[in-house]
Amino acid sequence: MKKKIYVHVADDHKILIEGIIAVINTDKDIEIRDYSLTGKEVVDWFDKKGNKADVLILDITMPVLDGFEVLRHFNQKGINPKVIILSSYDDIKIVQEMLSLGCKGYITKNNAGEHIVDAIKAVANGEQYFSDDIQKILLKRFSGHHVPTGEAPVKSIIEALTERELDVLKLITKQYSSPEIADKLNLALSTVDTHRKNLLKKLKVKNSVGLAMYAVKNKIV
Amino acid sequence: MKKKIYVHVADDHKILIEGIIAVINTDKDIEIRDYSLTGKEVVDWFDKKGNKADVLILDITMPVLDGFEVLRHFNQKGINPKVIILSSYDDIKIVQEMLSLGCKGYITKNNAGEHIVDAIKAVANGEQYFSDDIQKILLKRFSGHHVPTGEAPVKSIIEALTERELDVLKLITKQYSSPEIADKLNLALSTVDTHRKNLLKKLKVKNSVGLAMYAVKNKIV
DNA sequence: TTTCTTCTCCCTGTAAATAGGGAGGCTTCT
DNA sequence: AGAAGCCTCCCTATTTACAGGGAGAAGAAA
């Protein structure tokens, strides 16, 4: 007799959680242990003694703490449930960032119903799991390589933004001009301009609008 | 004996639809007739002879046609199911736009589970229905007024964007500069500048970044 | 120690965006 | 016949943004 797989679900839309539970409950090998509506609830739940789950279904967009921050917290604390990201985003950068943070699976909400049970069983078994569309965009980048099924960590390709660049980017999305940003951060205008230039280069966008769109899509704001 | 309320659900995330069905099926007076995954499916379904629903649960973000366009289509064709918007967005402008397009209810995904059955019954009964958070932001604008329960249409406060302004806005979000936009639309640069000025004024934003953020938040792009 | 990254600031330009104004032609509604 | 809204284009002017380059200081890593 197989041991049950215990699952924790985190998403800020309760109705989506209800849907997931409805789907998962059709399988006898899997049991929902509990759910969280914010990132903070997730980390609190796992911090609490006695609370354990084999697999964590994790949304990215959540109040208080988002999915990224939840994983960073786990990495710091040495907690490592097998995490499956369940997100609307199919941006390659987000996927890679999540992989580098240690997630074991990534499925999009578009076809979650078909994949979620398989995904849970796969990652519970030590494998990785990606939904079709995610596999596609991953293969586009790593053409020639195959998706590792073991513990081989996929290294992030994107150049991470520095703290200062993030500071500037956030203020740009708040519609501040460079002189205003310089003022707010106590920097010379030339410094802000430098950060702007580096942001444009790193994110491969044409102008401030591109920066703003990137920030929105990647939930930096 | 009461007549059953027939409901059609439209959302691009199937798992969310499954959740809604699970919740609604707890109520004996309501029956899900069918569901759609895109805006086009919705209008096709209602166009098909014999297909009728009393209430339509409608998401805003959907491929092919979004929620706005679905309602515009209904208005043109003279089809008028009672529409409840189910969305993540609690932007006052979106709510007002939807109201001016004739929707009868608006609930956010955050607390859909608690509200959706009540909402369906209310609008099926000819009333309007808004979830708590939506009521709050509506009252902020219409302080002193009460939410009408009859057929009194709430007039949109926002100045709607014109077709041309939308054209320009969309190209701005694609990171085109004004000269490039002028070229693409076969306009003089001065004309594009005029549209830009009017956009900034209408949307009350400071710069192009503000325009882009508005477009993203309001799902114009 | 050397190397690398980050952060800081500077220079010289050109291109673009913003702010204010006006104005003529066009439809649509009253 | 007005009035109103939209689309188009023009003027002047200032402020920002973008592009390319260099460079010094501090800290971390190899």
Side-chain angles (χ1 to χ4, degrees):
Chain A
M1 189 147 180
K2 255 194 289 189
K3 221 182 67 184
K4 276 210 175 188
I5 303 168
Y6 296 113
V7 177
H8 188 92
V9 187
D11 195 298
D12 56 333
H13 299 315
K14 198 174 173 190
I15 192 143
L16 199 145
I17 289 183
E18 286 162 353
I20 293 172
I21 293 176
V23 173
I24 289 179
N25 273 346
T26 62
D27 196 293
K28 291 275 179 186
D29 298 332
I30 307 174
E31 185 180 311
I32 304 283
R33 271 259 151 131
D34 210 343
Y35 65 86
S36 301
L37 295 170
T38 71
K40 183 146 179 33
E41 285 181 35
V42 178
V43 302
D44 286 350
W45 192 88
F46 277 90
D47 279 350
K48 217 173 276 172
K49 204 168 179 173
N51 278 352
K52 262 196 272 185
D54 303 310
V55 177
L56 168 63
I57 312 283
L58 184 65
D59 187 25
I60 296 179
T61 316
M62 283 186 298
V64 192
L65 290 175
D66 67 16
F68 292 104
E69 294 167 303
V70 170
L71 287 192
R72 283 191 204 103
H73 178 92
F74 283 167
N75 288 334
Q76 282 175 359
K77 288 248 180 169
I79 305 169
N80 42 9
K82 282 149 182 170
V83 177
I84 298 170
I85 301 297
L86 175 64
S87 169
S88 309
Y89 304 105
D90 58 356
D91 188 304
I92 179 68
K93 286 175 185 166
I94 293 184
V95 178
Q96 291 183 328
E97 179 67 15
M98 280 301 180
L99 282 169
S100 73
L101 285 170
C103 89
K104 298 295 187 294
Y106 197 118
I107 56 185
T108 55
K109 287 185 180 174
N110 296 312
N111 39 20
E114 316 153 24
H115 285 289
I116 199 157
V117 170
D118 288 344
I120 291 170
K121 292 188 175 178
V123 302
N125 199 30
E127 301 164 25
Q128 284 190 318
Y129 192 98
F130 305 96
S131 58
D132 303 337
D133 43 0
I134 297 298
Q135 278 188 34
K136 215 172 279 174
I137 66 165
L138 278 175
L139 288 174
K140 230 185 253 168
R141 294 285 164 136
F142 302 104
S143 42
H145 303 226
H146 72 286
V147 179
T149 48
E151 286 301 303
V154 180
K155 266 202 137 180
S156 183
I157 288 180
I158 58 163
E159 301 182 75
L161 302 185
T162 66
E163 282 305 310
R164 228 37 178 159
E165 287 165 351
L166 267 180
D167 290 340
V168 172
L169 179 55
K170 284 177 185 170
L171 291 176
I172 288 174
T173 63
K174 288 183 180 165
Q175 306 177 46
Y176 289 111
S177 68
S178 291
E180 288 170 335
I181 294 171
D183 201 54
K184 280 203 173 278
L185 299 179
N186 284 315
L187 292 176
L189 171 59
S190 57
T191 306
V192 176
D193 275 336
T194 301
H195 289 314
R196 267 192 123 105
K197 276 187 289 191
N198 293 333
L199 280 167
L200 291 177
K201 191 181 294 180
K202 280 186 180 179
L203 303 183
K204 303 194 211 316
V205 294
K206 270 190 63 180
N207 51 33
S208 307
V209 170
L211 295 177
M213 303 291 279
Y214 175 91
V216 171
K217 284 188 182 168
N218 291 270
K219 292 289 152 182
I220 289 171
V221 285
Chain B
M1 189 150 181
K2 257 195 288 189
K3 221 182 68 183
K4 275 209 176 188
I5 303 168
Y6 296 113
V7 177
H8 187 93
V9 186
D11 196 299
D12 57 331
H13 299 316
K14 198 173 174 190
I15 192 145
L16 200 145
I17 289 183
E18 285 161 354
I20 293 172
I21 292 177
V23 172
I24 289 180
N25 273 346
T26 62
D27 196 293
K28 290 275 178 186
D29 297 330
I30 307 174
E31 185 181 311
I32 304 282
R33 270 259 151 129
D34 209 342
Y35 65 86
S36 302
L37 295 170
T38 71
K40 183 148 178 29
E41 283 181 39
V42 177
V43 302
D44 287 349
W45 192 87
F46 277 91
D47 281 348
K48 218 173 275 173
K49 206 168 178 173
N51 278 351
K52 264 195 271 183
D54 302 310
V55 176
L56 168 62
I57 311 283
L58 184 65
D59 187 25
I60 296 180
T61 315
M62 283 186 297
V64 191
L65 289 177
D66 67 16
F68 292 104
E69 294 166 303
V70 170
L71 287 192
R72 283 192 204 103
H73 179 91
F74 283 167
N75 288 334
Q76 282 175 358
K77 288 249 182 172
I79 305 168
N80 41 9
K82 281 151 181 168
V83 177
I84 298 170
I85 301 297
L86 175 65
S87 169
S88 310
Y89 304 105
D90 58 356
D91 187 305
I92 179 69
K93 287 176 186 167
I94 293 184
V95 178
Q96 291 183 327
E97 179 68 14
M98 280 302 180
L99 282 171
S100 73
L101 285 170
C103 88
K104 298 294 186 295
Y106 197 118
I107 55 185
T108 56
K109 288 185 179 173
N110 295 313
N111 38 21
E114 316 153 24
H115 286 287
I116 199 156
V117 170
D118 288 343
I120 290 170
K121 293 188 176 179
V123 301
N125 199 30
E127 300 165 25
Q128 285 191 318
Y129 192 99
F130 306 97
S131 58
D132 304 337
D133 42 0
I134 297 299
Q135 278 187 35
K136 214 173 280 174
I137 65 165
L138 278 175
L139 288 175
K140 228 184 255 167
R141 294 283 166 140
F142 302 103
S143 43
H145 304 227
H146 71 285
V147 179
T149 47
E151 284 302 302
V154 181
K155 268 205 135 178
S156 182
I157 288 181
I158 59 164
E159 301 182 75
L161 302 185
T162 67
E163 283 305 309
R164 229 35 177 161
E165 286 165 354
L166 268 179
D167 290 340
V168 172
L169 179 55
K170 283 177 185 170
L171 291 175
I172 287 174
T173 63
K174 288 182 182 166
Q175 304 177 47
Y176 289 113
S177 68
S178 291
E180 288 170 335
I181 293 171
D183 201 54
K184 280 202 173 279
L185 299 179
N186 284 314
L187 293 175
L189 171 60
S190 57
T191 306
V192 176
D193 277 337
T194 301
H195 288 314
R196 267 191 123 107
K197 273 186 290 190
N198 293 334
L199 281 167
L200 291 176
K201 191 181 294 179
K202 279 187 180 179
L203 304 182
K204 303 194 210 317
V205 294
K206 272 189 62 180
N207 51 33
S208 307
V209 170
L211 294 178
M213 303 291 279
Y214 175 90
V216 171
K217 284 187 181 168
N218 291 271
K219 291 290 153 180
I220 288 173
V221 285

